[in-house]
């Protein structure tokens, strides 16, 4: 099969289109013909060798895959050739205290599937049936590939960790990102008032089309002052933070009393200063969030099937142009996900 492979860590030029041996489904696995694979910033970190995950070279990227089953391995029951599926991207042990108590996103030996199987920048991959979720036929391959990480992460952060309720006000940082645009849709669906910030008016206009109530351009406006103006000086109930850097303190300062800030990333600055005094006096909370559960993704698949949410695809590239696809994502100008199609 054709696959995008890299043999050393580095920039876009380490990616090579190569013929590699077809994967074979082992016991309990199926072979999947990849129909679409969405790109993620984690892919860039892995390619550059800075992801903090162990990687054996050569390596095939791609953790967000949709495809059809073409072959069943030994002992597989309950799945059929031709079914369209999406692998849940985390590998959980199923046995630790967290897996046994329904908190699988805290699994003590969790990993990403592309680190134990091969990745989705390829024509085929073999995958354990334990990962498989059915994809409703109402969704296109590209839309389905764009759903899992954006909406799974947004759901886990907004509702499971952030406990967002109808009538509350939420500030979503970097609303133009894949996760941010999913947040707008879910927060709006839940009956919250949605304030979003982004680096350009064009991204704010797109977010407004998805239901964002108020936009703040953080390149030209003072985020905290605008939030206070929009909330009559009260501040928001929840801040959705995934950027880091200076937006961390601005997020804290945008919270009202007893407000919560939920965090799942820090690309713009992973170690930040933190003003402790106003934080404890106003009894604010900072909450960490990591990945999501299968149930949360399946809930989002059902909402997408009913047309309540729409996964956003910025552009689709052929597998052979993985460099062009990654380059587009690394420029961070897109609204929605970049998708590869073999
Ligand atoms: Zn576990």
């Amino acid at each position: 099969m054709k696959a995008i492979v890299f043999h050393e860590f580095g920039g876009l030029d380490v990616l090579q289109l190569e013929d590699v041996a077809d994967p074979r489904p082992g016991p309990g696995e199926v072979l999947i013909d990849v129909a679409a694979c969405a790109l993620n910033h984690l892919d860039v970190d892995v390619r550059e060798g800075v992801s903090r995950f162990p990687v054996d070279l050569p390596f095939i990227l791609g953790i967000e895959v949709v495809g059809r089953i073409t072959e069943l391995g030994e002992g597989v029951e309950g799945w059929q050739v031709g079914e369209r599926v999406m692998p849940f991207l985390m590998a959980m042990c199923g046995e630790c205290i967290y897996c046994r108590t329904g908190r699988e996103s805290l699994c003590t030996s969790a990993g990403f599937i592309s680190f134990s199987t091969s990745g989705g920048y390829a024509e085929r991959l073999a995958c354990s049936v334990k990962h498989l979720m059915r994809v409703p036929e109402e969704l296109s391959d590209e839309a389905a590939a764009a759903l899992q990480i954006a909406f799974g992460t947004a759901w886990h952060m907004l509702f499971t960790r952030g406990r967002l309720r109808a009538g509350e006000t939420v500030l979503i940082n970097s609303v133009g990102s894949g996760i941010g645009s999913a947040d707008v849709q879910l927060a709006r669906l839940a009956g919250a008032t949605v304030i979003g910030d982004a680096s350009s008016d064009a991204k704010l206009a797109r977010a407004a089309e998805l239901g964002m109530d108020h936009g703040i351009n953080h390149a030209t406006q003072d985020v905290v002052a605008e939030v206070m103006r929009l909330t009559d000086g009260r501040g928001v109930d929840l801040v959705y933070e995934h950027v880091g850097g200076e937006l961390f303190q601005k997020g804290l300062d945008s919270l009202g009393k007893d407000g919560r800030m939920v965090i799942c990333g820090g690309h713009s600055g992973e170690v930040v200063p933190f003003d402790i005094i106003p934080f404890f006096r106003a009894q604010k909370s900072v909450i960490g969030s990591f990945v999501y559960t299968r149930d949360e993704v399946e809930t989002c698949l059902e909402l997408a099937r009913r047309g309540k949410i729409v996964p956003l695809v910025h552009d689709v590239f052929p597998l052979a142009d993985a460099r062009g696809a990654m380059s587009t994502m690394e420029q961070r100008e897109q609204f929605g996900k970049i998708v590869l199609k073999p």
Side-chain angles (χ1 to χ4, degrees):
M1 68 168 182
K2 300 279 188 205
I4 299 293
V5 180
F6 63 94
H7 297 262
E8 57 181 328
F9 297 117
L12 291 166
D13 56 350
V14 301
L15 300 174
Q16 307 288 345
L17 180 66
E18 294 181 5
D19 287 304
V20 301
D22 266 36
R24 300 294 311 149
E29 294 184 340
V30 295
L31 188 66
I32 297 171
D33 250 14
V34 176
C37 178
L39 274 61
N40 287 281
H41 287 283
L42 175 65
D43 301 354
V44 179
D45 293 345
V46 172
R47 190 198 69 209
E48 292 179 343
V50 299
S51 72
R52 304 195 196 182
F53 292 104
V55 174
D56 292 327
L57 300 176
F59 194 79
I60 300 173
L61 294 166
I63 53 176
E64 229 181 344
V65 177
V66 168
R68 284 193 193 274
I69 298 174
T70 55
E71 198 178 329
L72 305 180
E74 192 187 318
V76 169
E77 290 177 12
W79 297 92
Q80 293 179 349
V81 169
E83 279 190 289
R84 199 160 59 132
V85 293
M86 165 193 295
F88 179 68
L89 67 76
M90 300 299 292
M92 311 300 189
C93 76
E95 291 169 1
C96 71
I97 181 68
Y98 303 105
C99 285
R100 284 187 283 116
T101 52
R103 294 174 289 167
E104 59 194 28
S105 62
L106 293 170
C107 177
T108 54
S109 53
F112 288 99
I113 57 162
S114 64
F115 295 86
S116 49
T117 69
S118 58
Y121 289 25
E123 291 178 313
R124 282 179 277 287
L125 61 83
C127 175
S128 165
V129 293
K130 284 192 279 187
H131 289 281
L132 297 184
M133 296 180 284
R134 288 187 170 84
V135 175
E137 292 298 330
E138 288 87 344
L139 285 176
S140 70
D141 293 327
E142 295 87 340
L147 177 137
Q148 183 177 163
I149 290 179
F151 282 93
T153 303
W155 185 284
H156 192 69
M157 285 185 71
L158 287 174
F159 306 130
T160 307
R161 302 295 295 153
R163 304 200 177 282
L164 182 67
R165 295 184 297 271
E168 288 193 322
T169 300
V170 58
L171 170 66
I172 297 166
N173 281 336
S174 193
V175 80
S177 63
I179 289 175
S181 57
D183 286 323
V184 170
Q185 296 184 60
L186 288 176
R188 177 64 185 245
L189 200 58
T193 297
V194 180
I195 302 173
D197 64 61
S199 58
S200 80
D201 290 343
K203 286 182 175 180
L204 292 172
R206 294 291 307 276
E209 288 169 16
L210 296 173
M212 182 183 71
D213 296 283
H214 309 286
I216 302 172
N217 185 327
H218 63 65
T220 60
Q221 290 177 290
D222 180 331
V223 172
V224 179
E226 275 301 296
V227 165
M228 291 304 162
R229 187 182 67 78
L230 292 165
T231 58
D232 294 329
R234 201 176 56 85
V236 298
D237 302 291
L238 181 70
V239 171
Y240 187 110
E241 219 305 270
H242 56 116
V243 183
E246 63 177 17
L247 286 180
F248 179 91
Q249 184 66 49
K250 287 181 181 176
L252 279 183
D253 292 343
S254 299
L255 283 176
K257 292 191 175 190
D258 199 24
R260 297 96 67 198
M261 182 159 84
V262 60
I263 301 178
C264 76
H267 255 98
S268 295
E270 295 179 0
V271 179
V272 294
F274 173 12
D275 189 344
I276 294 169
I277 306 301
F279 172 74
F280 76 76
R281 283 186 181 167
Q283 302 193 53
K284 297 174 183 178
S285 303
V286 172
I287 302 165
S289 186
F290 183 59
V291 294
Y292 43 79
T293 65
R294 274 174 67 127
D295 281 353
E296 290 166 338
V297 177
E298 287 175 338
T299 300
C300 293
L301 281 167
E302 173 61 12
L303 288 172
R305 186 189 70 75
R306 288 158 53 197
K308 299 287 188 186
I309 57 173
V310 179
L312 297 185
V313 177
H314 175 79
D315 207 350
V316 180
F317 288 77
L319 180 64
D321 193 18
R323 289 183 187 180
M326 286 197 100
S327 167
T328 302
M329 179 178 63
E330 287 173 57
Q331 288 161 23
R332 292 178 179 272
E333 289 305 316
Q334 77 275 14
F335 195 88
K337 303 280 281 198
I338 308 291
V339 174
L340 278 180
K341 271 185 89 73

